[in-house]
């Protein structure tokens, strides 16, 4: 309205009224600009505060997500470490069982060898006993038979000795068996 009035005063060449109208127009525009500037500033401050709060919310969400993934990651790493230690323990246990079985088999083989060696030693001892005891008795029997053939000694004495030697031979065999 003041703009149209100022145009009319200009066309009518009433410059003093034009100046007053223009001053009023400038005052009105300044107050309008000040009011608009205040509203714009308030709007900008509101948008700034809103954006600031939005950024805080986004940062908090990011921190929660980061914390969640960190927790999941740490739990996963812990589970993997536990699985690794469990598998290493099982592998160690398997190796120890294998070593133990090898030692048991070796001990069994050594025991069998010792039994075979003891059996062989016993056979040799029995053979030596048989050779010593029965051999002496057999030699005495042969000598007694030779005496009987030659008729050198009394046959009753020789027969008694032969019987004694044969009985000793049987006793030695019984003891050896």
């Amino acid at each position: 309205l003041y703009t149209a009035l100022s145009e009319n005063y200009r066309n009518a060449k009433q410059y003093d009224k034009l100046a007053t109208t223009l001053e009023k127009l400038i005052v009105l525009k300044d107050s309008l600009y000040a009011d608009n500037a205040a509203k714009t500033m308030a709007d900008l401050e509101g948008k700034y505060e809103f954006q600031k709060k939005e950024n805080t919310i986004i940062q908090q969400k990011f921190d929660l997500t980061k914390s969640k993934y960190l927790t999941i990651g740490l739990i996963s790493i812990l589970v993997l470490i536990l699985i690794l230690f469990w598998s290493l323990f099982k592998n160690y246990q398997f190796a120890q069982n294998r070593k133990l079985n090898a030692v048991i088999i070796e001990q069994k083989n050594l025991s069998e060898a010792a039994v075979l060696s003891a059996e062989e030693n016993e056979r040799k001892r029995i053979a030596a006993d048989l050779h010593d005891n029965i051999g002496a008795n057999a030699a005495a029997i042969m000598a007694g038979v030779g005496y009987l053939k030659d008729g050198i000694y009394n046959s009753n004495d020789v027969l008694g000795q032969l019987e004694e030697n044969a009985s000793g031979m049987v006793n030695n065999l019984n003891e050896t068996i």
Side-chain angles (χ1 to χ4, degrees):
L1 189 63
Y2 280 107
T3 305
L5 184 62
S6 68
E7 282 297 318
N8 287 336
Y9 284 140
R10 184 174 294 145
N11 289 339
K13 296 189 183 187
Q14 295 179 1
Y15 295 115
D16 56 344
K17 288 184 181 178
L18 174 65
T20 309
T21 306
L22 286 177
E23 282 177 15
K24 284 183 185 178
L25 183 63
I26 289 173
V27 168
L28 284 174
K29 283 186 177 182
D30 280 347
S31 69
L32 182 65
Y33 285 136
D35 191 34
N36 283 343
K39 285 182 183 177
T40 304
M41 281 301 281
D43 190 37
L44 285 176
E45 284 179 9
K47 285 181 181 177
Y48 172 75
E49 289 297 322
F50 178 75
Q51 189 63 41
K52 192 174 170 183
K53 288 179 182 176
E54 283 291 318
N55 287 346
T56 303
I57 291 170
I58 290 170
Q59 183 65 38
Q60 288 173 346
K61 284 182 181 178
F62 173 74
D63 289 343
L64 285 174
T65 305
K66 181 179 162 185
S67 174
K68 177 180 158 185
Y69 285 131
L70 183 63
T71 303
I72 290 171
L74 288 175
I75 289 172
S76 299
I77 289 172
L78 180 64
V79 167
L80 288 174
I81 288 172
L82 287 174
I83 289 171
L84 175 69
F85 279 125
W86 182 78
S87 65
L88 287 174
F89 174 74
K90 284 297 182 182
N91 190 23
Y92 175 77
Q93 196 175 30
F94 178 73
Q96 289 300 322
N97 284 339
R98 195 173 43 191
K99 286 179 184 177
L100 180 64
N101 287 338
V103 167
I104 288 171
I105 289 171
E106 183 180 345
Q107 288 296 324
K108 183 180 175 184
N109 290 340
L110 288 174
S111 296
E112 287 175 359
V115 166
L116 290 175
S117 174
E119 286 176 351
E120 185 62 29
N121 288 340
E122 189 62 19
R123 279 189 204 104
K124 288 179 182 177
R125 185 192 64 77
I126 290 171
D129 283 351
L130 286 174
H131 180 268
D132 292 344
N133 295 332
I134 295 176
N137 286 332
I141 290 173
M142 281 181 59
V145 169
Y147 293 143
L148 278 177
K149 273 186 182 179
D150 295 339
I152 301 174
Y153 292 108
N154 182 2
S155 63
N156 284 337
D157 289 337
V158 172
L159 284 176
Q161 279 187 345
L162 284 175
E163 184 181 2
E164 230 178 86
N165 286 334
S167 175
M169 211 166 150
V170 169
N171 287 336
N172 283 335
L173 277 174
N174 285 336
E175 287 176 10
T176 301
I177 289 172

